[in-house]
Amino acid sequence: MQISEKYNPQETENKWYSYWLENNYFHSEPNDKPPYTIVIPPPNVTGILHMGHMLNNTIQDVLVRRARMQGFNACWVPGTDHASIATEAKVVAKLKAEGINKSDITREEFLKHAWDWTDKYGGTILEQLKKLGCSCDWERTRFTMEPKLSQQVIKSFVDLYNKGLIYRGYRMVNWDPEAKTNISDEEVIFKEQNGKLYYLKYKIEGTEEFLSVATTRPETIFGDTAVCINPNDERYAHLKGKNVIVPIANRVIPVIEDDYVDIEFGTGALKITPAHDTNDYEIGKRHNLAMIDSLDDDANLNAHGLHYAGKNRFEVRKAIAKELEEKGLLLKAEDYVNKVGTSERTGAVIEPKVSVQWFLKMSEIAKPALDVVMNDEIKFHPEKFKNTYKHWMENIRDWNISRQLWWGQQIPAYFFGEGENDFVVAETIEEALELAKQKSQNSDLKISDLKQDEDALDTWFSSWLWPISVFDGMLDTENKEIDYYYPTSDLVTGPDIIFFWVARMIMAGLEYRNEVPFKNVYFTGIVRDKQRRKMSKSLGNSPDPIELIEKYGADGVRVGILLSSAAGNDLLFDEELMLQGRNFATKIWNAYKLTQGWSKNENIKANESDRQAIEWFGNQMDKTIAEIADQFEKFRISDALHLVYKLIWDDFCAWYLEAVKPAFGQPISTEVYDQTIAYFEELMKLLHPFMPFLSEELWQNIAERSPENALVITQQKKSENYSEELIKNFETAKEMISGVRNYRQSKGISPREAVEIFTNAEAISNENLVKKLANISEINLARKTDKPSFTFLVGGTEISIPLSENLDLAEEKTKTEEELKYLKGFLISVEKKLSNEKFVANAKPEIVDAERKKQKDAQDKIALLEEKLKTL
């Protein structure tokens, strides 16, 4: 087939992606082959592709495409996450813009708006993944809020409740006033903020004395119910059993004692606000203190805040400091840096708040999930994340799974009375009614008497079931799909969700299938810009991936992002690497185009130099295939790509093609041409997981192929036995050729001018090839020359090239003397180091050996240059 002058990524990508879909290559059904399964980390349903997605999904696609070409039944399950907080916030904002408040409509009306929003904006990201070349089984696309998945989430809740692992409790939670819901401890990000430490004056009841108390949050004084001192603090011994008066609020509160108080911090006296601080809450429980909640759900002061009611907490902080100062109740205010909890989703400062929530007991289900990672039943790549995982799992707290949201699975708890325990948990309201009748002993109860809990479940409570639920494994535990595809093979994700998602999926897998959900977890790095900043819309440093694909082609972008991506290390994004990816595509295209310009002749036999090149490249390819397999085994995907890159760019293009290329205008032996194309086909198979579009285009151009022979499903070559000696000999030949080329380049001698060489070697391997590629007229074995020469070493072999008659010998002599002077100076510095007994005794053996090698190399080069000077 005729090949176009230039590679056109856009045209090629659309053509082959459509072809792959038409032929259903990505679809998997259980069969006799071994399965290879990956479940996609489901992106937010209304999200759009960013650089993190690009990296993550490129790696997944490389793994899946390679598995397909290695004889596995590869299944990559795509899908999206309903993302409660993010999606609800967008829907609330949209309604607000239309003049509708969430509080003014029913749950059903709100959910209709949410589904409309999801239908309109959802799924864009999956279409964008197709542009990247992702070979997902699109027929299997799932959504965490679809009926079957929701049913499995509810089933899981009921099961865990019945096992006594889920409970309803009155606890302090992390309240996000922007999202208007509580969030789990893992969703709280602590950030350093500059603030003030205010020293307030609490009047001691019945005296004119004041007690100084330090706080960073003076606006919470309206919730104070005690001042606490350490029982061992002698300074305040006289205050035991006394009361103090809260500034501005003028309420009388007791002075209590507790070991928790740090004598060294602030004044050693602590205001206790049980409703607004986690530690104060615990102290309050120990001392039976009253609980005064002075903030509403928007983090505005409520009626307890007196004249500040309705005002925002931060606004009140400034105003109250001013009022305290005016009233002489502020001793001083110091600059203070402290860590403040913020919402991972909205960025709002978290407000500790006491409320009734649903919790999942973690200690019981965490232990087995820790063991399977520590004993490598599940392998982490890189392994360093095992320590992070271990620390969290050993300090795990109960998981707060309820959210004050409507978009999400509604908690299946049904209330039938006003009592604290007047509720039942069931999968359907009909089942709930029967349970409620039994529990209440009231057979007259009707469905209309039941009121379902308003809260929704945490989004992660649905995605923790993902490797099971995508195969409907909670609905039919013995179905053929879950039996075949579970446990999945590999998980590719970011280290930032190791607790939110990875740990919890492991717990769910062990709880529900008594099996780990995957065998390997590959943690990608975080994509950063060249200044090491995390990419974000607000910084404007995140390029649009689709624009990059349009500019460099999907294959170019895939290669560019992988070249800079070592497992678990942050990726410093550089657009230059995308250009390198595109240039690689051009190089491959041009290499193939070169072969298509050759005319074949069946009457010409392969010569010795052709045979040497063919034999070497076959061995080199087998060696590289074994090395690639080893890198994949270690999840060093970037290193595997580097090996493919080198095999194609250096070994095939720079050496092999140069070796077999016929002289200008001459035909090539059909035998050599056919072997060259056979090698090119094998290279396309190795390249395909990384650059699927270009490789398929060239594969289909080489020969007419039926759909059964498309590259996407062709099997890769397995590594066969190869000769290290043959490869080593070729490396020696390459060094020799490079040395001669270097001579020409440094002396300005044309490549067309043949040279004669003299060597101390008895024989040279690949002699014919060396002669052809270095344009050598004659190789004089075991002979020296008396003529002025350019001499270099290849291992222990000395190569001398008599200098061209066109060279200025005086200038050559000057250059040689300068080089000799430098080398002698270098040798003195090395020998000085080696004569230092302390260095030799204390340095690592490999460092000392390296210095000795430098000494030997310098001595050999000096000897050669001194010999050369004699001839000059």
Side-chain angles (χ1 to χ4, degrees), residues 89-159:
K90 284 175 182 172
V91 176
V92 167
K94 171 196 169 275
L95 292 174
K96 209 168 194 176
E98 294 168 6
I100 304 167
N101 282 324
K102 179 188 168 186
S103 54
D104 296 337
I105 58 176
T106 65
R107 187 185 198 114
E108 286 64 35
E109 286 168 334
F110 179 83
L111 288 174
K112 188 183 181 308
H113 285 291
W115 278 108
D116 289 346
W117 173 271
T118 303
D119 292 340
K120 185 175 180 183
Y121 297 104
T124 300
I125 193 163
L126 298 183
E127 291 306 309
Q128 290 177 318
L129 288 178
K130 292 177 183 177
K131 294 274 183 206
L132 187 60
C134 292
S135 59
C136 300
D137 185 346
W138 299 110
E139 289 179 37
R140 293 184 174 276
T141 305
R142 307 303 297 259
F143 174 46
T144 53
M145 272 285 279
E146 67 175 81
K148 273 193 171 180
L149 265 69
S150 287
Q151 197 182 335
Q152 293 177 78
V153 173
I154 298 304
K155 200 174 193 67
S156 165
F157 182 97
V158 174
D159 173 69

Side-chain angles (χ1 to χ4, degrees), residues 586-605:
T586 303
K587 180 80 174 176
I588 297 164
W589 187 264
N590 289 342
Y592 177 67
K593 196 152 61 81
L594 171 73
T595 66
Q596 298 313 288
W598 296 340
S599 60
K600 297 179 282 181
N601 188 327
E602 287 185 10
N603 300 320
I604 301 172
K605 293 291 168 207

Side-chain angles (χ1 to χ4, degrees), residues 26 42 60 165 185 226 265 459 503 563 590 610 654 680 736 857:
F26 305 158
Q60 287 177 84
L165 291 171
D185 294 335
F265 178 75
T459 305
L563 283 175
N590 289 342
D610 291 335
F680 192 78
M736 211 172 280
D857 290 348

Side-chain angles (χ1 to χ4, degrees), residues 159-339:
D159 173 69
L160 293 167
Y161 176 79
N162 290 336
K163 287 174 179 170
L165 291 171
I166 284 179
Y167 65 93
R168 188 167 177 261
Y170 190 66
R171 294 263 293 273
M172 178 149 279
V173 296
N174 308 297
W175 183 259
D176 179 341
E178 201 168 304
K180 294 200 181 40
T181 179
N182 80 89
I183 59 174
S184 69
D185 294 335
E186 290 71 40
E187 291 164 287
V188 178
I189 309 296
F190 284 91
K191 294 179 182 174
E192 281 199 347
Q193 288 190 2
N194 294 319
K196 297 271 185 193
L197 188 60
Y198 301 90
Y199 289 78
L200 313 187
K201 291 163 73 175
Y202 285 66
K203 191 174 184 186
I204 300 162
E205 190 185 29
T207 74
E208 291 305 309
E209 289 177 49
F210 288 88
L211 172 62
S212 177
V213 176
T215 180
T216 56
R217 304 186 61 202
E219 71 278 9
T220 62
I221 58 173
F222 301 106
D224 287 359
T225 55
V227 167
C228 191
I229 56 172
N230 190 303
N232 303 314
D233 193 339
E234 292 173 6
R235 294 174 297 172
Y236 300 127
H238 65 291
L239 293 180
K240 290 178 182 181
K242 298 278 178 72
N243 294 325
V244 292
I245 298 165
V246 180
I248 298 176
N250 292 322
R251 270 186 302 102
V252 176
I253 58 173
V255 175
I256 62 171
E257 300 167 64
D258 198 289
D259 289 328
Y260 169 78
V261 179
D262 180 356
I263 295 173
E264 303 297 322
F265 178 75
T267 64
L270 189 69
K271 65 191 257 341
I272 305 299
T273 318
H276 298 294
D277 181 276
T278 310
N279 298 312
D280 291 8
Y281 173 70
E282 295 300 329
I283 293 171
K285 277 203 300 187
R286 285 199 291 276
H287 296 270
N288 294 316
L289 296 177
M291 193 97 58
I292 301 173
D293 187 350
S294 57
L295 293 168
D296 65 16
D297 288 351
D298 294 306
N300 294 331
L301 276 285
N302 59 23
H304 289 292
L306 306 176
H307 47 290
Y308 291 111
K311 291 183 177 166
N312 182 268
R313 55 186 165 161
F314 298 125
E315 188 188 327
V316 174
R317 187 174 298 174
K318 286 179 186 172
I320 206 166
K322 195 176 174 191
E323 184 181 348
L324 287 163
E325 195 172 9
E326 286 167 358
K327 292 184 171 173
L329 295 170
L330 180 66
L331 195 64
K332 60 178 177 176
E334 297 173 343
D335 288 336
Y336 185 71
V337 177
N338 66 332
K339 284 193 170 179

